[in-house]
Structure formats: structure tokens, C-alpha cells
Amino acid sequence: ILLKAGETKSPADIVLQFYQSLMETINDSFMYDYDGLGMMAACCEKAAKILRDVVEHPSASSDLRHDILSEIGKMAEESVWGECFEFDLDGLKFEISRLVQTPEGHLEMLDEEIGKQTGESRYVIMKMNYLDELGRTEEAQTVMNQFLYLPEVRRRKVGQLQGEEKYVEALELLNDGIVIAKQNNHAGTERQWLEMKLAIYELQKNSKEIIETCRTLFIANSGSMKYYKKLKE
């Protein structure tokens, strides 16, 4: 009702107070109240929608938009919500950042987060997607190549090469990924790379490599019928 009347500050204040109050009262007991967790997550999502609506409202001032971003940013740093229920306060911060800041300001915020979370692919992917949306595809590719040590980024690069039918390059990336996974004792990641190799060999109709890769996956997956059937074929 307030938004329809062109009032933006009051709805923003109400939502921010709701989030602040929740942060001050939530505790470990929430972990065992599944109905309460679901209801609280739904309330948080509704509150987030109101904030998005405020930020996008034509009568919202620049100062109000930046104040909202600042407050959500502070709460995201202090929040322990992730341990209690599914609500992505940090994701909301970056949603609002995209709406409020200049492209360079938003990219700077992403870079700060990437610097803090060196083993986290989420913010790298967000940066790549944003650069693509801006039409800055060469920069997005540079970021991708810079962070190939992150499995999600390597997976994306392999998918891109596969789509371009650059199978040799894709396989080289997967082989490098397998070496890294073995060094780090990441058996699950190693299996993912092997499965992607298998998919490429199937596209190439390379029977010899299909058989060899299936055999490896059959053993790695404790005699999985999936790979047994492929071997039989």
C-alpha cells in the first residue's frame, strides 16, 4: 500500500527492521523447528521482494537505494542465518548491488568478495555472467581462464569448448583437472571429469576411449550398472 502511494522509505525501514530483529533473536533452537524454518524463510523472501520493489521504484532516491545496499551488506557479514534456514542474504546483497551501483561499482564489490573467498566459485561465476550481460565477453573469458583451478569454472569452460566442438582442448582441460583432483584427493571431482570425458568420447564415437573410460568409471563407482551396460554395448 505504501509503495503504491509512492512512499519508499517506510517500507524499506520496515523490512530492514524485520531482518535486524530476526538476527537478534534467532538461535540454535530454530534448527529443530522445521515448520518454523520454512515459515521464516518464506517471510524473508517476501521481505526481499519488497526491498527489490523499493530499489526499483521510480520515486526511490539514490541515497535510499545506497543506504539499503549498505545495511544489507552489514547484515550479510554478521548473519548466521545460513546455519539455520535457507535464505540467501548475501545473494540479496548482490542483487541489490546490481540495481543500485554502476557496473564498475558492482564489479568492484564482486572482486572484493572474490579476494576474500579464494576457493569459492560462486562470485567468480557471478562476475562472468555479469560481464557477459554487459557484452564484455572478452573480459568474461579472461576471468574464466584466470580461475580454471575452480571446478565449477573449469566445468563451464569445458562445456563452452564442447559446444564449439573443440574436443581436443576440452579433453586437455579435463585431463589437467584429473591431475589436480588426484593431487587434492578429490575423488568425486575426478569422477565428474571422467564422466565429462566419456560424454566427449561418445560424441566423437571413439570406441577405444569409451571402453577405457567406462572401465575406469565402473571400478570407481563400485561396479555401477550404468557403466556395465555401456561396456556391454
Side-chain angles (χ1 to χ4, degrees):
I1 293 172
L2 287 167
L3 277 173
K4 287 180 180 178
E7 171 60 46
T8 54
K9 189 174 188 310
S10 294
D13 288 344
I14 292 168
V15 171
L16 293 172
Q17 184 57 54
F18 163 72
Y19 284 146
Q20 189 62 49
S21 297
L22 183 59
M23 286 181 65
E24 291 170 0
T25 56
I26 200 165
N27 55 50
D28 291 343
S29 65
F30 275 81
M31 291 289 289
Y32 306 100
D33 182 5
Y34 297 109
D35 291 336
L37 291 177
M39 182 177 69
M40 194 59 68
C43 289
C44 285
E45 288 295 346
K46 288 178 182 177
K49 182 182 184 307
I50 293 171
L51 273 192
R52 294 184 198 103
D53 290 343
V54 168
V55 168
E56 294 183 287
H57 200 283
S59 67
S61 68
S62 176
D63 285 346
L64 176 60
R65 291 184 173 106
H66 282 87
D67 285 347
I68 291 170
L69 176 60
S70 176
E71 289 302 313
I72 290 296
K74 290 175 188 175
M75 291 180 193
E77 288 181 8
E78 299 170 5
S79 173
V80 294
W81 295 359
E83 300 170 13
C84 299
F85 60 88
E86 292 295 326
F87 178 69
D88 187 7
L89 191 61
D90 202 54
L92 176 61
K93 176 182 77 172
F94 282 100
E95 280 187 62
I96 292 174
S97 172
R98 286 183 55 171
L99 297 169
V100 167
Q101 298 204 90
T102 63
E104 294 311 316
H106 183 59
L107 288 167
E108 185 178 338
M109 182 179 279
L110 282 168
D111 284 335
E112 288 176 8
E113 204 63 43
I114 289 168
K116 290 184 217 171
Q117 311 279 351
T118 53
E120 173 64 65
S121 61
R122 178 186 186 185
Y123 305 100
V124 177
I125 298 292
M126 286 170 71
K127 182 176 181 179
M128 288 160 48
N129 288 340
Y130 188 57
L131 287 168
D132 279 332
E133 288 171 21
L134 294 173
R136 293 159 62 171
T137 52
E138 288 186 13
E139 290 178 65
Q141 289 297 310
T142 299
V143 172
M144 185 186 289
N145 293 332
Q146 181 184 352
F147 289 94
L148 285 174
Y149 64 88
L150 298 172
E152 285 298 327
V153 178
R154 184 177 295 269
R155 189 174 296 109
R156 181 165 172 153
K157 180 70 174 181
V158 170
Q160 181 187 85
L161 291 170
Q162 187 174 325
E164 295 169 357
E165 298 185 4
K166 295 179 179 178
Y167 300 134
V168 173
E169 293 176 46
L171 289 167
E172 287 175 358
L173 268 183
L174 290 169
N175 286 332
D176 290 343
I178 288 170
V179 170
I180 294 169
K182 283 181 176 177
Q183 290 172 345
N184 294 322
N185 294 316
H186 291 166
T189 304
E190 182 182 350
R191 284 197 294 272
Q192 287 178 29
W193 300 148
L194 285 166
E195 286 166 0
M196 292 183 78
K197 282 184 70 175
L198 178 60
I200 292 173
Y201 290 139
E202 287 176 332
L203 287 171
Q204 292 178 314
K205 302 188 187 310
N206 187 333
S207 298
K208 179 182 176 183
E209 295 296 347
I210 290 171
I211 291 169
E212 187 59 36
T213 309
C214 269
R215 183 183 290 118
T216 302
L217 283 165
F218 177 75
I219 294 168
N221 287 277
S222 304
S224 167
M225 288 300 294
K226 174 183 174 181
Y227 302 108
Y228 170 77
K229 288 176 182 176
K230 283 183 179 287
L231 283 167
K232 192 172 180 182
E233 289 172 8

